[in-house]
Amino acid sequence: MEFLFRSVSVHFEKIPALNDVSCDIHDGDIVVLTGPTGAGKTTFLRLMYMDLYPSGGSIFLNGQDTRTLKKRHLPGLRRKMGIVFQDFKLLDNRTVYENVIYPLYAVKTSKKEADKRCLEVLSEIGISYLRNKFPHQLSGGEKHLTSLARAITLKPELILADEPTGNLDAESSKKVASLLRHVVSGGATVVLATHSKDMIDLFPDARRFNLNEGVLSPVQQEKKA
C-alpha cells in the first residue's frame, strides 16, 4: 500500500494535533515514527487506517483520496492491514487463541486452515503457552505479543504498530523487530510509532520521521563508516 500525505492537518476542538504534514510511504517501506508522548503519532496512524480524516489537506491511498473511499469498501481495505494498538483492543471474553484466530474467521477461512495459521503465528511469536488464557490473565508484555500475533495472522499488506514493545523485555523486543522485518521481506509495508530508543535502534535501516507538536520532520540517518 502506498500513502501520500499532502499538507495534512488535524484539529481536535481547534487544538492542532498535526500541522501541515507531507510525506510519502511506499510499498515495502519500513518507517519509524518517533516523537514524545502527545506528539501526534497515534493520530498519524489513525489517518492511515481511516479511523480519522484530515481537517485540512489530503491523504492518497494507492492514488485515491481517502475521503472519497466509500464506507462499504473500508472493511475490505482494513483486512489488508494489521494494526497493533497501543491499548491492545483485545476481546476480553475470548482467549488468546480466539483473539488471534478471529480475523481468519472474519474472512471466512475454513476452520482447519484457520487453526493451522493461528497455531503457526502463536508458535512464531513464542506465545503458544498462552493460547488458553484470557486477556485479564496476561501481563502488559503478553498483551502486546498477542496483539502483534493478531495483526500478522492475515499476512497483511500493511502493518501499523503503535508502541508495539511497551512493557517488553529486551529479548522480546528483538523478537518483535525480527518479526516485523520478516513481514517486510514478504512485501508488506510497516509503519512503527515509538518513543523507545531501544526499538529505534533495532531498525537502523528504516526511514525515520520525527513528530514534535504536530510537525513532521525527516530524520537524517548517520552513514556508517
Side-chain angles (χ1 to χ4, degrees), residues 40-86:
K41 301 189 298 298
T42 297
T43 297
F44 188 97
L45 297 183
R46 287 178 65 196
L47 288 166
M48 293 185 71
Y49 64 88
M50 289 159 286
D51 183 50
L52 189 66
Y53 293 91
S55 307
S58 299
I59 300 170
F60 297 92
L61 167 57
N62 297 335
Q64 185 171 355
D65 191 322
T66 57
R67 281 177 297 204
T68 69
L69 290 167
K70 297 189 182 302
K71 287 188 177 180
R72 68 174 183 272
H73 294 154
L74 293 184
L77 279 170
R78 288 177 182 145
R79 288 189 192 113
K80 298 177 182 179
M81 304 177 182
I83 305 170
V84 183
F85 295 99
Q86 192 171 359

Side-chain angles (χ1 to χ4, degrees), residues 114-188:
D115 181 67
K116 180 175 179 288
R117 175 61 182 158
C118 180
L119 294 178
E120 284 175 352
V121 171
L122 292 174
S123 176
E124 189 175 10
I125 294 181
I127 56 172
S128 296
Y129 67 99
L130 296 174
R131 58 176 295 183
N132 294 319
K133 289 195 173 185
F134 289 88
H136 73 270
Q137 297 173 305
L138 305 178
S139 68
E142 289 167 343
K143 289 177 182 177
H144 272 286
L145 292 174
T146 302
S147 183
L148 177 63
R150 182 183 58 189
I152 69 172
T153 191
L154 286 179
K155 300 181 181 179
E157 296 176 20
L158 172 72
I159 292 268
L160 302 175
D162 196 356
E163 301 289 356
T165 57
N167 303 308
L168 293 185
D169 57 40
E171 199 56 41
S172 295
S173 293
K174 288 179 183 176
K175 182 183 292 186
V176 168
S178 176
L179 282 164
L180 292 175
R181 281 193 293 268
H182 178 67
V183 168
V184 171
S185 72

Side-chain angles (χ1 to χ4, degrees), residues 103-117:
L104 292 160
Y105 285 155
V107 296
K108 306 206 180 333
T109 307
S110 71
K111 188 176 188 309
K112 182 179 178 181
E113 286 301 312
D115 181 67
K116 180 175 179 288
R117 175 61 182 158

Side-chain angles (χ1 to χ4, degrees), residues 1-9 20-27 29 31 44 47-48 50 54 56-67 158 189 191 207 209 216:
M1 289 186 176
E2 179 178 73
F3 287 84
L4 307 180
F5 282 65
R6 294 294 180 262
S7 302
V8 171
S9 297
D20 197 28
V21 167
S22 293
C23 68
D24 297 354
I25 298 172
H26 304 292
D27 284 338
D29 276 350
V31 175
F44 188 97
L47 288 166
M48 293 185 71
M50 289 159 286
S58 299
I59 300 170
F60 297 92
L61 167 57
N62 297 335
Q64 185 171 355
D65 191 322
T66 57
R67 281 177 297 204
L158 172 72
T189 304
V191 180
R207 295 176 62 212
F209 294 95
L216 186 78

